[in-house]
Structures are given as structure tokens and as C-alpha cells.
């Protein structure tokens, strides 16, 4: 793959060359001469087909994971969130039972690998909020999550973006099922359809960014409507901070600065 240094910026395919932009730079590569039919049928591409199947499974599992945080992900996620989560799940696949191309995505036994994942890599949660707390606590029944943050100074423990006058802390929790290869359907499917991709968010009251909060901040996410939770379904809990600007008594979400990370799993 070569860089395109011409002042003419092309995008698309022309005479077997594909022009595209990535990270603000222009690139050009030759068009692949391998047909789709050959990839899907030629024994020489068996490993490629195996990788394609497992990548498809990781992508489906990644979507369910993101769906469980859908109500807040648009605020806190970056452009590459989907790809990064899929990559994490691809890393789990070698631990799964089955033949190459059909290995289980055992998220339950490997859930710890996603703890610490920031939804926006350029805005790590711990860089913007680091008040002392024990972090989210997942109940043994895995249908309730709590987070208690003792009184703290917003001046000391919050790195707010310019223009922010208030913030809200948020506790989010969501379920993602293990995925298995279904030979009949020729695709990866969730072991349990529910509560796969289901989640909830609990926000604190608006906190002025001026000195001490004045009291502990206690948040609870109640997911008992989904109980009992299947043993093949993982629960992920995340902590977030969302920034606002108060104008004439109304709170407006800022366009930037929000962040969230996966803080616990069970």
C-alpha cells in the first residue's frame, strides 16, 4: 500500500487502483485479483474462510455489547469503538471450544478482558474523573449494580472541558450473551436471546463544578426485570461522566468531554 502525494485527492477505484483516506492521509492500493467465489470455495483459502467466520461472530457479539449501552454510547464513544470491541472479542476466540472458524465466544469466562475498556481512547475516564470510590458492585444475582462515591471536591477530582458548569455521574450496566457457531444457520448466534443486548443507565443529579459536592453520590441500576440471568450471559458495569452548561436554569449537554469505561464484570 502506497501513499498518494498528489495534490489531486481521489477516492474510489480507477483502473485497478483504489484511492482512500485514512487518519487524514491519502493512500492507494491495487485492487485484489481474488474473486469472492474463489475465497468461498477454493481449499487454499480455508484458513481465510475460518477467519472470516470468526470475525463475523466477533462483530455480532460486539454489536450486542454496544446495544446494551446504546442510550449513552453516542455521547461517550469514539469513531473506532466498534472496531476496538470487535478486536477484544477476537482476542477471546482462541480460548473457545470448537474447531477453527467455529470456536465459541465465551464472554462469561473471559469478561475480565474488557474491564478497563474506555469508550473513547482520547478521553480516558480516569483522566477526567478520579475521585476515590470502591467502584461498581455487582450483586451475586447479577441483576443489580450499585456505585457509591463519597463526598469529593470537583476542583480536585474532575478535569472538566471548557464551558462546563455542571456534570452528572452515570452508572451503566448491560448484558451480552456468549455466542456459538450454528452450522445450520452458518452463523454465530447468541446462546441466550435474552437479556442479550439489554442494559440500563442511572444518572446522578446535576453536580455544580464548584468545590465540594456536599454529600455522597449513590447510584443503582436495577435489572431485576430480566432475572434470572442465564449463566451463559455476562454482565458489564461502566462508570461515566457527562458535562453540561447551565444557561438560564436549563442544562445543555456539551458536545465534548464526556467519557466512560467498563469498570466491572460478572
Amino acid at each position: 500500500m502506497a501513499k498518494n502525494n498528489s495534490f489531486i485527492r481521489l477516492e474510489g477505484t480507477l483502473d485497478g487502483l483504489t484511492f482512500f483516506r485514512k487518519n487524514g492521509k491519502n493512500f492507494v492500493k491495487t485492487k485484489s485479483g481474488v474473486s469472492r467465489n474463489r475465497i468461498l470455495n477454493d481449499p487454499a483459502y480455508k484458513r481465510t474462510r475460518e477467519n472470516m467466520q470468526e470475525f463475523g461472530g466477533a462483530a455480532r457479539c460486539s454489536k450486542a455489547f454496544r446495544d446494551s449501552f446504546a442510550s449513552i454510547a453516542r455521547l461517550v464513544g469514539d469513531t473506532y469503538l466498534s472496531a476496538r470491541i470487535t478486536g477484544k472479542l477476537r482476542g477471546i476466540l482462541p480460548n473457545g471450544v470448537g474447531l477453527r472458524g467455529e470456536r465459541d465466544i465465551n464472554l462469561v469466562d473471559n469478561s475480565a478482558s474488557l474491564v478497563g475498556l474506555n469508550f473513547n481512547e482520547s478521553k480516558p475516564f480516569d483522566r477526567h474523573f478520579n475521585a476515590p470510590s470502591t467502584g461498581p458492585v455487582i450483586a451475586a444475582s447479577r441483576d443489580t449494580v450499585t456505585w457509591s462515591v463519597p463526598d469529593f471536591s470537583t476542583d480536585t477530582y474532575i478535569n472538566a472541558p471548557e464551558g462546563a458548569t455542571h456534570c452528572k455521574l452515570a452508572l451503566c450496566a448491560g448484558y451480552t450473551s456468549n455466542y456459538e457457531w450454528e452450522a445450520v444457520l452458518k452463523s454465530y448466534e447468541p446462546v441466550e436471546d435474552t437479556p442479550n443486548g439489554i442494559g440500563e443507565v442511572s444518572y446522578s443529579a446535576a453536580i455544580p463544578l464548584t468545590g465540594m459536592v456536599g454529600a455522597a453520590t449513590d447510584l443503582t441500576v436495577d435489572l431485576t426485570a430480566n432475572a434470572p440471568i442465564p449463566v451463559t450471559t455476562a454482565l458489564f458495569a461502566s462508570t461515566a461522566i457527562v458535562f453540561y452548561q447551565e444557561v438560564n436554569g436549563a442544562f445543555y449537554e456539551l458536545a465534548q468531554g464526556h467519557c466512560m469505561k467498563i469498570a466491572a464484570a460478572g
Side-chain angles (χ1 to χ4, degrees):
M1 181 171 62
K3 292 183 179 179
N4 174 21
N5 293 320
S6 170
F7 68 92
I8 302 175
R9 295 181 178 179
L10 301 175
E11 290 190 18
T13 300
L14 178 65
D15 290 336
L17 298 176
T18 299
F19 298 83
F20 62 98
R21 286 180 62 80
K22 182 178 181 181
N23 298 327
K25 297 180 180 180
N26 299 303
F27 294 89
V28 58
K29 65 179 181 179
T30 58
K31 185 178 180 181
S32 172
V34 182
S35 69
R36 172 180 171 83
N37 181 66
R38 185 179 177 190
I39 291 175
L40 295 179
N41 296 285
D42 190 332
Y45 287 89
K46 182 175 184 294
R47 184 58 55 84
T48 300
R49 290 192 294 274
E50 292 170 349
N51 290 335
M52 289 170 59
Q53 287 179 185
E54 292 189 341
F55 179 84
R60 288 204 67 188
C61 189
S62 170
K63 183 178 185 305
F65 181 92
R66 287 179 283 112
D67 284 348
S68 70
F69 295 104
S71 62
I72 192 172
R74 66 175 182 82
L75 280 177
V76 298
D78 61 26
T79 304
Y80 302 104
L81 177 62
S82 174
R84 288 190 290 111
I85 295 173
T86 300
K88 288 277 190 181
L89 297 176
R90 285 279 287 150
I92 290 172
L93 267 161
N95 302 326
V97 175
L99 301 175
R100 282 188 58 93
E102 302 177 1
R103 291 175 290 190
D104 297 344
I105 303 176
N106 189 341
L107 198 53
V108 170
D109 290 345
N110 296 277
S111 59
S113 64
L114 275 81
V115 174
L117 172 75
N118 280 285
F119 277 55
N120 190 322
E121 280 196 322
S122 67
K123 297 179 177 65
F125 177 79
D126 293 339
R127 185 186 298 170
H128 291 267
F129 180 82
N130 57 7
S133 77
T134 57
V137 176
I138 297 175
S141 56
R142 299 191 304 132
D143 56 14
T144 305
V145 184
T146 57
W147 183 32
S148 181
V149 183
D151 190 17
F152 65 93
S153 169
T154 60
D155 296 329
T156 303
Y157 294 109
I158 292 180
N159 180 16
E162 184 177 353
T165 62
H166 291 72
C167 72
K168 290 183 181 181
L169 298 181
L171 174 63
C172 322
Y175 295 107
T176 307
S177 171
N178 288 350
Y179 275 68
E180 293 181 348
W181 174 256
E182 292 288 346
V184 174
L185 299 175
K186 294 185 178 181
S187 68
Y188 274 86
E189 301 294 330
V191 176
E192 297 287 346
D193 289 327
T194 57
N196 187 41
I198 299 298
E200 298 288 344
V201 180
S202 175
Y203 289 93
S204 72
I207 299 172
L209 296 174
T210 52
M212 299 298 293
V213 176
T217 302
D218 297 314
L219 297 172
T220 299
V221 173
D222 184 352
L223 297 164
T224 53
N226 302 287
I229 309 305
V231 295
T232 53
T233 298
L235 173 61
F236 294 93
S238 63
T239 51
I241 185 167
V242 179
F243 294 98
Y244 299 83
Q245 184 176 82
E246 182 182 17
V247 179
N248 296 327
F251 294 100
Y252 298 89
E253 288 177 355
L254 296 187
Q256 58 187 359
H258 321 301
C259 47
M260 182 169 82
K261 75 169 182 178
I262 300 297

